[in-house]
Amino acid sequence: MKRVLILLFSIVLGFLSVTAQVVRQNLSSEQQKPVALKSVQYRLPKTALQIAITAERTTFFPGELSEYAASYLDLTDVMTEQCDNWRIKSLMLTPYGIADESKSYTIKFDPENSSSGFVKLSSDHCLLAINGDLPELPQLIKPATSLLQAADKTGSTYRTPLMLQAGSKEEMARAAYREICDIRRKRSSLAKGEADYMPVDKEQMDVMLRELEREENALLKLFTGTKQIETHILTTNYVPSRDKTEDVAFRFSKYYGLTAKDDVSGTPYKIKFECTPDTLANVNNQEGVVYCIPANVKATITLGTKQLLTTTVPMAQFGHTAKLSNDYFDNNFGTKITYSPVNGGILKIEKGEKTTTAVSPAPSASPNTNRTTIFRRK
């Protein structure tokens, strides 16, 4: 019996301690174990946004005797049906990368150049590294639920024999009301010092008063009902577009929580993007690996005229593309390059033993699908 109680306690404790969790994006086989290749096809990413919503859900459960709350207790605002009430407590944006199908390229390696043959790709074939280490992958929020307040269902434990023997709900409501009145009389008598059995000291008095209050509240919940409160971590995704600077990010209902974007029962929460226009010049006469120069974009989520969240995110699709010269891949350099999995920009360039922070070279022309780049020895 003791082991069963311990097991039950562990299950309950585990449920109460659930919080938002993070998950890492999956790696492809190319990432797990790099392979020397003669050529490889890759894509550039575009930046997507995960919107994590921390919301509180209050579920109201009507009392067994709620229909008699007005007639016996003069309570006119008691609900008689189960319902939910949702509210948003906080928002968080997490950028991550997805493959841009319109930006696909092929790298062919010169077999005489052994320094440039190891490529690491994401599971959707976005370029992550050449000869270098994998970048830190985005950590996305995992949906979760935690219980803050359980519904109080102790009213049934204080039922009197008259309530148990009642032949109808109305008789039960009458008996419950009489018990509540009796409890209130006892408490008043104790406070005035007129009870038949007075406590011997203040500590005993406090114990008796607390117990009477607990019994009264439990019986009142048979009329007024009870509620359960949970915290929910909800997630939805949005892919920004350079052609749409304002859009509905998600819809949220007071009664249903997160709803579909086309469900008008939910209130629209809009997202707006502000970015400095791209003025970089194109370079057409340079061979090399195409990569992204992301633009810093200010993203704002609003509800009506109220700003709920504002953050700046480097985004690939609002930026530009450029080429990294083949000169970087000469045998004498042993170049290692790490790219951002979120926006396709260069995170780090290593030449031999020297490590430098990447400075973006002059950009090239807009990319063409299936472009081929050949690494040649100088």
Side-chain angles (χ1 to χ4, degrees), residues 18 54-57 89 144-148 229-233:
V18 173
T54 301
E56 186 176 271
R57 175 189 182 184
K89 299 177 66 177
T145 301
S146 58
L147 180 65
L148 296 183
I229 303 176
E230 302 167 338
T231 294
H232 289 254
I233 307 297

Side-chain angles (χ1 to χ4, degrees), residues 49 93 95 274 295-300 309-315:
L49 299 174
L93 284 182
E274 298 177 64
N296 287 327
V297 180
K298 180 181 177 183
T300 304
L309 181 149
T310 299
T311 187
T312 299
V313 181
M315 295 189 187

Side-chain angles (χ1 to χ4, degrees), residues 56-63 79 81-85 87 147-154 221-222 224-230:
E56 186 176 271
R57 175 189 182 184
T58 301
T59 303
F60 175 79
F61 298 97
M79 300 183 68
E81 295 182 358
Q82 180 176 330
C83 65
D84 288 335
N85 185 289
R87 70 182 184 95
L147 180 65
L148 296 183
Q149 176 183 314
D152 184 357
K153 299 181 180 181
T154 59
K221 285 183 172 61
L222 294 176
T224 61
T226 187
K227 61 184 178 181
Q228 177 171 291
I229 303 176
E230 302 167 338

Side-chain angles (χ1 to χ4, degrees), residues 321-332:
T321 56
K323 292 179 182 178
L324 192 63
S325 171
N326 285 346
D327 294 342
Y328 279 90
F329 298 95
D330 187 271
N331 272 333
N332 296 325

Side-chain angles (χ1 to χ4, degrees), residues 119-148:
V119 174
K120 299 175 184 177
L121 305 176
S122 67
S123 57
D124 52 0
H125 296 280
C126 287
L127 184 62
L128 295 180
I130 298 177
N131 300 326
D133 298 326
L134 284 172
E136 184 70 23
L137 297 177
Q139 295 183 325
L140 302 180
I141 298 298
K142 184 178 179 180
T145 301
S146 58
L147 180 65
L148 296 183

Side-chain angles (χ1 to χ4, degrees), residues 180 183-184 187 212-220:
I180 291 172
I183 291 172
R184 290 173 176 174
R187 190 167 56 204
L212 288 173
E213 183 179 10
R214 184 161 44 246
E215 292 180 19
E216 180 184 353
N217 289 336
L219 290 172
L220 282 173

Side-chain angles (χ1 to χ4, degrees), residues 25 30 35 41 84 95 125 146-147 202 207 225 251 315-316 341 362:
Q25 290 181 311
E30 288 91 342
V35 179
Q41 290 186 333
D84 288 335
H125 296 280
S146 58
L147 180 65
K202 184 178 182 303
V207 171
R251 288 179 178 269
M315 295 189 187

